[in-house]
Amino acid sequence: MIRSFLHRAALSFALGAASLAPVTAQVAPAPTPAAPTDTTHKFENPAGVPAPVKQPWYKGKLVKAVAVPAVLIGYGAYTFNGGGFYTNQDANRDIHKLFPTFRTKADDILIFAPYAELGLVALAGVESKNDRINVGLVVLKSELIMLTTVFAVKNLTRETRPDGSDNLSFPSGHTAQAFLAASIVHNEFRDKSQWYGIGAYTIATSVAALRMINNKHWQSDVVAGAGFGILSAHLGYLTHRNRWGRKPRLPEGMSFTPTWQSGYVPGQVSAFGGGPGLRFTWRPK
């Protein structure tokens, strides 16, 4: 009897303890407070367009425009007036060992040959990057930049030419002119074919070589001259905006239509024979 009572008491205690476990497990966790709605910036980018990634400074247009010219002008300045590991005198001596008596006037003509290429390629029907008006404006602006800088540096440096003819040797104006024109050709037709630019730069390099062969310039003069020519063309493009040469556009809904107005009026004899006219139509939207 006592054993049966103890057995029932132990069983009741076990069942009571087990019934408490699910009660504690079913307690719901405290709710997480909702984040406040951002109403300050909701109208700043309603379309959700991602912000443009800012390019590092060394990938900017100005850096790309001046990188190569800066190297060329820097080398010219480094070898100016007999400086550098391979001096002007060393280069002049080696050149005239190969061409001791060769002289030509071809360099005076070839400086404009890249411009002739520009015109011939355009006449052949190859479409340039810009229209003719804007190309002409870029050329004019680039020429002004080149002439101003080259002759200013010539008068500041006062370097004697190899043949002793004057003191306006550095930098080479012929070379600057040829490389300016070659840069224009390269920029206008590089999307069509790189060979147009290669041909123009080959002509410009020939001008630089002939200036040294003709004993008119040192190596520093022609290298720096190439830099000034390329830099002038790049600055001409960088500072130009195609504001000229565009086709005018009428406001939306506005149009002009050519017409022919007859002079005949029913029931009347008219001495007026009619003529062309222009009809203006505007449908505001």
Side-chain angles (χ1 to χ4, degrees):
M1 177 68 69
I2 296 174
R3 183 180 296 177
S4 177
F5 174 75
L6 293 175
H7 179 72
R8 287 198 299 270
L11 181 61
S12 299
F13 178 78
L15 291 174
S19 65
L20 295 175
V23 173
T24 58
Q26 292 176 3
V27 176
T32 304
T37 305
D38 183 6
T39 58
T40 306
H41 303 87
K42 66 179 182 179
F43 298 114
E44 289 186 356
N45 190 10
V49 179
V53 179
K54 186 177 180 180
Q55 295 289 341
W57 65 269
Y58 55 85
K59 291 186 178 181
K61 290 183 179 180
L62 182 60
V63 175
K64 291 181 179 180
V66 303
V68 173
V71 172
L72 296 174
I73 296 173
Y75 180 81
Y78 173 63
T79 56
F80 172 75
N81 202 19
F85 56 89
Y86 184 61
T87 66
N88 287 337
Q89 289 73 22
D90 294 337
N92 194 54
R93 182 191 64 242
D94 294 340
I95 288 171
H96 288 96
K97 281 182 180 179
L98 296 174
F99 305 96
T101 59
F102 181 81
R103 296 293 182 272
T104 180
K105 296 289 185 180
D107 49 344
D108 295 331
I109 301 172
L110 288 176
I111 57 174
F112 298 109
Y115 281 147
E117 179 187 355
L118 179 68
L120 290 174
V121 172
L123 288 175
V126 180
E127 187 178 357
S128 59
K129 181 179 178 180
N130 298 287
D131 59 82
R132 295 181 182 179
I133 294 178
N134 284 289
V135 171
L137 291 171
V138 170
V139 169
L140 179 62
K141 187 184 301 183
S142 302
E143 290 284 348
L144 290 175
I145 295 172
M146 184 272 294
L147 292 172
T148 301
T149 54
V150 165
F151 284 100
V153 175
K154 279 179 178 290
N155 285 279
L156 287 173
T157 56
R158 306 295 296 177
E159 184 185 37
T160 304
R161 294 182 187 271
D163 62 357
S165 58
D166 59 37
N167 296 324
L168 300 174
S169 187
F170 183 87
S172 170
H174 280 66
T175 307
Q177 175 62 70
F179 273 87
L180 186 158
S183 298
I184 298 290
V185 173
H186 171 67
N187 188 79
E188 291 298 325
F189 297 111
R190 64 184 175 185
D191 294 335
K192 301 298 181 181
S193 174
Q194 292 289 339
W195 286 105
Y196 297 119
I198 292 173
Y201 279 123
T202 301
I203 295 172
T205 305
S206 301
V207 171
L210 290 175
R211 295 305 286 171
M212 292 188 291
I213 293 172
N214 286 333
N215 210 31
K216 288 294 184 181
H217 283 289
W218 308 100
Q219 65 155 344
S220 61
D221 305 339
V222 298
V223 174
F228 277 106
I230 297 172
L231 179 62
S232 300
H234 288 179
L235 291 179
Y237 278 105
L238 276 178
T239 58
H240 184 69
R241 301 293 180 269
N242 291 353
R243 296 174 180 171
W244 298 272
R246 292 178 175 178
K247 294 181 179 180
R249 291 185 177 181
L250 296 174
E252 188 176 1
M254 185 181 297
S255 64
F256 288 92
T257 308
T259 61
W260 179 269
Q261 183 176 359
S262 175
Y264 172 73
V265 178
Q268 298 183 8
V269 178
S270 174
F272 178 67
L278 191 65
R279 177 181 296 166
F280 169 72
T281 306
W282 185 28
R283 296 184 178 90
K285 293 185 179 181

